[in-house]
Amino acid sequence: MSLLPDTFAVFILTHGRPDNVITAKTLAKCGYTGKLFFIVDNEDKTVDRYIENFGRERVMIFRKKEVADACDEGNNFDERRTILMARNACFDIAKAIGVTHFLQLDDDYYYFGYRFEAGARKITNLNAAFAIVLSYYKAANITSIAFGQGGDHIGGFSGIKLKRKCMNSFFCSTERPFRFVGAMNEDVNTFTTLGSRGSLFLTFTGLQLDQKDTQSQASGITEMYLRFGTFCKAFTTVMMMPGSTKVSMMRSNNPRIHHSIDWKATVPCIIREAHRKALTP
């Protein structure tokens, strides 16, 4: 625990699942003993149950309509069953409780592991893993960094340590605030729009998390995705970045419409120093 500063905390963003916060159990099994808070909105009818299960001091309740009114939702659905508001509320919550650095996690992770070419191995000292990533995040000029996901390694471990995207989990700082955008596909919307303006979002593939299949669990944001469909989800990103994203089919055991990103047209390219042109007098 001494590896993690007292100003760091894990935030689990959750709604309607007070008796099924899988991530909390997984964190404990993987050795996390640091600060842990549950981010819940005031429109959640199960707030009292969260408090009963986890303690009033660890349940952070935000006013969802107020936060929604300050968000760019990317639609006129008047639908707030989405994680967008919770993601943006975290920065003010962190400031209020004296946290300078925090990790946003969804509530349905069942695995944290180290990723190697031979496969993944369960993390048993998550404090140390978080501390290592936090140390890098503090030293590097990046907006946010995420754990890799199982899907990043379909077809085998690529060997690429850092990917220029940020999904699902977010290391953040109140000193580097940013706003998530789009009620659906908010992670992709954010790292593409802000990435196009020079912000740097990364995924470290040497660490991996796995979660329940999309739309397989009740509550959370599942109801919204079921109501509007994955086309609306993917097309929100196209509206945000029409010049470099499109809607396509994801080929898998469960084929579905998904976003497709042209990275060279989305974010500034980093050119090797060797190619710098000499300055002329």
Side-chain angles (χ1 to χ4, degrees), residues 73-75 77 189 193 232 234-243 245:
E73 298 175 68
N75 62 52
F77 297 159
N189 304 333
T193 56
C232 286
F235 208 84
T236 300
T237 302
V238 177
M239 288 194 301
M240 297 287 180
M241 291 292 294
T245 63

Side-chain angles (χ1 to χ4, degrees), residues 196-214:
S196 72
R197 301 165 195 166
S199 295
L200 189 56
F201 291 84
L202 298 174
T203 289
F204 178 56
T205 61
L207 295 170
Q208 176 180 324
L209 61 82
D210 288 305
Q211 65 186 142
K212 293 290 185 177
D213 291 340
T214 300

Side-chain angles (χ1 to χ4, degrees), residues 131-254:
I132 291 169
V133 178
L134 181 62
S135 178
Y136 173 73
Y137 174 68
K138 286 182 175 182
N141 185 25
I142 56 178
T143 305
S144 188
I145 189 168
F147 276 38
Q149 301 175 83
D152 290 321
H153 305 295
I154 291 176
F157 184 64
S158 65
I160 299 173
K161 293 298 184 182
L162 290 171
K163 290 189 174 183
R164 199 162 182 178
K165 65 173 188 172
C166 201
M167 300 178 68
N168 220 279
S169 59
F170 294 85
F171 279 86
C172 301
S173 171
T174 56
E175 300 165 357
R176 305 177 194 176
F178 61 95
R179 302 287 293 178
F180 289 87
V181 293
M184 306 178 79
N185 228 24
E186 84 295 330
D187 46 10
V188 181
N189 304 333
T190 302
F191 71 67
T192 53
T193 56
L194 294 185
S196 72
R197 301 165 195 166
S199 295
L200 189 56
F201 291 84
L202 298 174
T203 289
F204 178 56
T205 61
L207 295 170
Q208 176 180 324
L209 61 82
D210 288 305
Q211 65 186 142
K212 293 290 185 177
D213 291 340
T214 300
Q215 301 177 23
S216 66
Q217 288 207 103
S219 297
I221 60 175
T222 298
E223 283 81 1
M224 183 174 182
Y225 284 171
L226 290 176
R227 177 183 176 188
F228 294 106
T230 52
F231 178 82
C232 286
K233 175 177 180 286
F235 208 84
T236 300
T237 302
V238 177
M239 288 194 301
M240 297 287 180
M241 291 292 294
S244 62
T245 63
K246 64 181 181 180
V247 171
S248 63
M249 286 297 297
M250 174 180 279
R251 305 297 178 182
S252 65
N253 292 332
N254 180 28

Side-chain angles (χ1 to χ4, degrees), residues 95-107:
K95 286 183 179 180
I97 61 177
V99 167
T100 60
H101 295 82
F102 56 92
L103 171 60
Q104 291 188 9
L105 298 177
D106 290 358
D107 62 7

